[in-house]
Amino acid sequence: MTERALSLLRPWVFPALLLGLFEWYARRAAAQGSDALAPPSAALKAFAGAAVDGSLWQATGFTLGTAALGLLLGAVLGIALGIVLGLSRRTAQFGLLSIEVLRPIPSVALIPLSMLMFGFGVRMELAIVAFATFWPMLILVQSAVQQVEPRLLEVSRVLGLTARERAWKIVLPAIVPRLFVALRLGVAVALVVAVTVEIAANPNGMGYAMMIAQQSFDPPLMLAWLGWIGVVGFVINAAMQRLQRWVARRMGVVQ
């Protein structure tokens, strides 16, 4: 029992040490007259205040909802096109130039264009998140499909499976582990891009709330938002790992 408790506590030792050092440093800086930093204890109080007044949940819901919708759109398009390009070398060569020209464009560089097209709000952020998540999904899925055992595809042709049946019964089960790697990367990208867009241009969500706290000279609240965004990202990644294991078991894929 003791060994199990120690194994559960061990990963928290370093974060607790960092928080303790930051608490000491922030209090020392405050004693010297600096108000640029806030100790984690003050940030925790600010976090509790935001949770009680509802602003925490409203901003979190907006960011997560927009990021999820953008990821869904980018993932559906990226997976579909990635399977097509992975199965057809001719199609991959035909689209290579377009992909290599568009893929390096930073997603945040589309903020001015999206603002002109959609204005402020959900649609602008949704378009940018979808663009940002589309490319990693496309590249990773295409690479995974190209590594599928060729004999499996040959058998599917001999059995007379349609392209849709081949993708659903042969390709998707074979790429499940890599597909979830792509999805986990897409989730991280979606959250980062959504918060970035909110900081830069969209007056909604967690990024905007953190920027307002900074402009209002409220370091505890700003630090509380920063820590909360990290916690949200951690929880989402852990949920994706559990979902990956569950789907893999359902599809009979051994990991």
Side-chain angles (χ1 to χ4, degrees):
M1 184 66 180
T2 304
E3 292 184 2
R4 184 174 182 181
L6 289 175
S7 65
L8 293 174
L9 291 175
R10 192 174 294 118
W12 299 97
V13 172
F14 187 64
L17 179 61
L18 288 180
L19 285 175
L21 288 174
F22 188 66
E23 178 82 18
W24 169 81
Y25 180 79
R27 288 181 178 275
R28 185 169 178 269
Q32 295 176 353
S34 174
D35 58 355
L37 291 177
S41 56
L44 187 60
K45 293 180 181 178
F47 173 83
V52 170
D53 65 27
S55 59
L56 179 77
W57 315 116
Q58 182 179 3
T60 303
F62 181 90
T63 299
L64 291 183
T66 308
L69 288 174
L71 174 62
L72 177 63
L73 181 59
V76 168
L77 295 176
I79 292 173
L81 188 56
I83 291 176
V84 172
L85 297 181
L87 292 175
S88 173
R89 291 184 179 272
R90 182 174 297 179
T91 305
Q93 292 174 352
F94 181 78
L96 179 63
L97 179 60
S98 299
I99 292 173
E100 294 303 319
V101 169
L102 294 173
R103 184 170 60 88
I105 297 177
S107 56
V108 292
L110 296 179
I111 291 178
L113 177 61
S114 295
M115 289 176 63
L116 288 175
M117 295 177 62
F118 306 115
F120 294 104
V122 174
R123 292 193 299 169
M124 179 197 70
E125 190 171 328
L126 178 64
I128 297 173
V129 171
F131 178 87
T133 55
F134 170 77
W135 300 109
M137 296 298 301
L138 170 65
I139 299 303
L140 290 175
V141 170
Q142 179 184 356
S143 175
V145 173
Q146 289 173 342
Q147 296 177 33
V148 172
E149 176 60 47
R151 294 180 182 177
L152 292 176
L153 298 177
E154 292 175 4
V155 170
S156 68
R157 294 190 188 96
V158 171
L159 294 176
L161 298 181
T162 64
R164 181 179 178 180
E165 291 173 334
R166 193 183 313 157
W168 182 254
K169 296 181 178 180
I170 302 296
V171 175
L172 281 177
I175 68 171
V176 163
R178 295 186 181 91
L179 179 60
F180 270 90
V181 170
L183 285 173
R184 286 172 59 191
L185 177 61
V187 166
V189 170
L191 182 61
V192 169
V193 171
V195 172
T196 302
V197 172
E198 291 162 1
I199 291 174
N202 196 11
N204 296 284
M206 294 190 291
Y208 179 71
M210 185 170 63
M211 186 187 69
I212 290 299
Q214 180 264 329
Q215 293 179 347
S216 302
F217 300 102
D218 192 351
L221 184 57
M222 182 186 68
L223 185 62
W225 278 112
L226 183 61
W228 177 241
I229 292 171
V231 170
V232 169
F234 174 81
V235 171
I236 291 175
N237 183 67
M240 286 297 298
Q241 288 180 316
R242 292 180 65 89
L243 180 62
Q244 176 181 355
R245 290 192 290 267
W246 181 81
V247 172
R249 287 196 300 268
R250 295 282 293 181
M251 299 187 73
V253 178
V254 179
Q255 300 192 69

